[in-house]
């Protein structure tokens, strides 16, 4: 909750982020009402704006779930996906467990949806804020573009277009089951979790569904059956 911040940190949030995200909340409220969907937040509540959008700002957020999908191939080029998910309200414990997994897949290629724009920089900052060494696999600091071994599906699908497509839209276009249809949705994740409407286990399941959707998109775009 915003009331749990120090006075200085609260002042920073209200000065630098509140109005920006309030404008986004107003636009989202209009979209939801137009689509006949419920609005689960109050655009005039400073706390609702904070809970809804603080997760987008690494300096104010907290990592509560990380999900991994490991794609492997057989000799006849058939693919399979193995999953591993960590979900915990203890961020330091979660990040340390994730570090061990990053060590295991040190020779693999990281893949995600907007992973270069959000997931990787967010995790790097949260590792630093928690005084935990950043896993080598995540740290792109000082690397040249051709040294970054990451596949970002959002950028690949965007190509040279002006706007980036959401994972939900890509799944719909490719005929792949989306992760955005369950009880948990990233648009209300903060409010739903803090309000007790969803559990930390459900958040982990949602993240895992996101990873499955991303893996399926990658496999289909690589012309896998």
């Amino acid at each position: 909750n915003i009331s749990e911040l120090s006075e200085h940190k609260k002042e920073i949030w209200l000065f630098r982020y509140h109005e920006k995200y309030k404008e986004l909340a107003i636009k989202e409220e209009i979209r939801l009402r137009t689509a006949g969907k419920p609005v689960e937040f109050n655009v005039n509540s400073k706390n609702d704006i904070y809970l809804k959008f603080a997760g987008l700002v690494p300096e104010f957020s907290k990592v509560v779930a990380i999900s991994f999908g490991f794609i492997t191939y057989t000799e006849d080029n058939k693919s399979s996906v193995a999953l591993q998910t960590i979900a915990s309200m203890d961020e330091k414990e979660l990040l340390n467990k994730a570090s061990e997994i990053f060590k295991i897949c040190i020779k693999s290629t990281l893949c995600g949806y907007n992973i270069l724009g959000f997931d990787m920089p967010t995790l790097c900052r949260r590792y630093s804020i928690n005084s935990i060494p950043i896993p080598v696999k995540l740290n792109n600091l000082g690397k040249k573009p051709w040294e970054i071994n990451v596949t970002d599906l959002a950028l690949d699908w965007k190509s040279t277009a002006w706007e980036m497509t959401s994972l939900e839209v890509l799944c719909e276009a490719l005929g792949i089951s989306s992760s955005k249809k369950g009880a948990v949705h990233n648009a209300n994740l903060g409010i739903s979790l803090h309000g007790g409407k969803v559990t930390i286990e459900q958040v982990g399941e949602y993240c895992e569904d996101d990873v499955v959707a991303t893996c399926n998109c990658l496999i289909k775009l690589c012309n896998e059956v």
Side-chain angles (χ1 to χ4, degrees):
N1 292 302
I2 195 170
S3 61
E4 297 173 348
L5 299 178
S6 68
E7 284 304 312
H8 188 221
K9 197 168 184 179
K10 180 179 178 182
E11 180 183 335
I12 292 172
W13 172 267
L14 293 176
F15 180 75
R16 295 191 175 274
Y17 300 104
H18 176 73
E19 288 302 320
K20 167 188 174 181
Y21 288 122
K22 182 177 179 180
E23 289 180 11
L24 291 180
I26 291 172
K27 291 178 181 178
E28 184 175 329
E29 181 184 36
I30 294 172
R31 289 199 301 269
L32 289 170
R33 294 195 188 281
T34 301
K37 295 183 178 180
V39 178
E40 300 182 10
F41 54 90
N42 180 358
V43 295
N44 294 312
S45 167
K46 290 183 174 67
N47 194 54
D48 277 12
I49 299 299
Y50 177 76
L51 287 177
K52 184 171 175 58
F53 292 103
L56 299 178
V57 184
E59 294 79 7
F60 287 84
S61 67
K62 177 181 179 180
V63 181
V64 297
I66 302 178
S67 190
F68 297 85
F70 304 90
I71 302 177
T72 55
Y73 294 87
T74 59
E75 291 184 357
D76 56 355
N77 211 33
K78 297 296 181 181
S79 59
S80 63
V81 179
L83 301 168
Q84 185 167 353
T85 298
I86 314 166
S88 172
M89 292 301 287
D90 186 332
E91 187 180 35
K92 285 190 174 183
E93 178 187 29
L94 183 148
L95 292 175
N96 280 317
K97 287 182 178 179
S99 293
E100 296 304 312
I101 298 175
F102 281 117
K103 288 178 184 177
I104 295 171
C105 59
I106 192 68
K107 294 183 180 180
S108 302
T109 298
L110 284 181
C111 176
Y113 204 84
N114 196 24
I115 189 173
L116 286 169
F118 182 74
D119 303 77
M120 291 179 69
T122 294
L123 282 174
C124 287
R125 293 185 201 181
R126 294 310 302 172
Y127 270 106
S128 294
I129 288 169
N130 282 281
S131 301
I132 302 172
I134 300 172
V136 174
K137 195 68 181 172
L138 284 181
N139 198 347
N140 292 326
L141 187 64
K143 288 183 180 179
K144 297 176 177 64
W146 55 87
E147 294 174 332
I148 298 175
N149 186 23
V150 178
T151 296
D152 193 327
L153 277 184
L155 295 180
D156 287 350
W157 186 256
K158 177 178 178 289
S159 185
T160 57
W162 289 107
E163 294 186 11
M164 189 179 292
T165 305
S166 70
L167 179 59
E168 182 178 19
V169 173
L170 177 60
C171 286
E172 184 65 28
L174 296 180
I176 290 170
S177 180
S178 171
S179 54
K180 313 297 183 183
K181 297 178 180 179
V184 183
H185 195 292
N186 59 345
N188 353 320
L189 179 56
I191 291 177
S192 297
L193 181 60
H194 286 276
K197 294 182 179 179
V198 298
T199 64
I200 191 67
E201 289 76 20
Q202 287 177 302
V203 174
E205 290 169 3
Y206 165 71
C207 289
E208 193 168 279
D209 289 344
D210 238 8
V211 168
V212 170
T214 302
C215 289
N216 287 336
C217 287
L218 176 65
I219 290 168
K220 183 157 187 175
L221 290 173
C222 290
N223 297 318
E224 291 290 318
V225 178

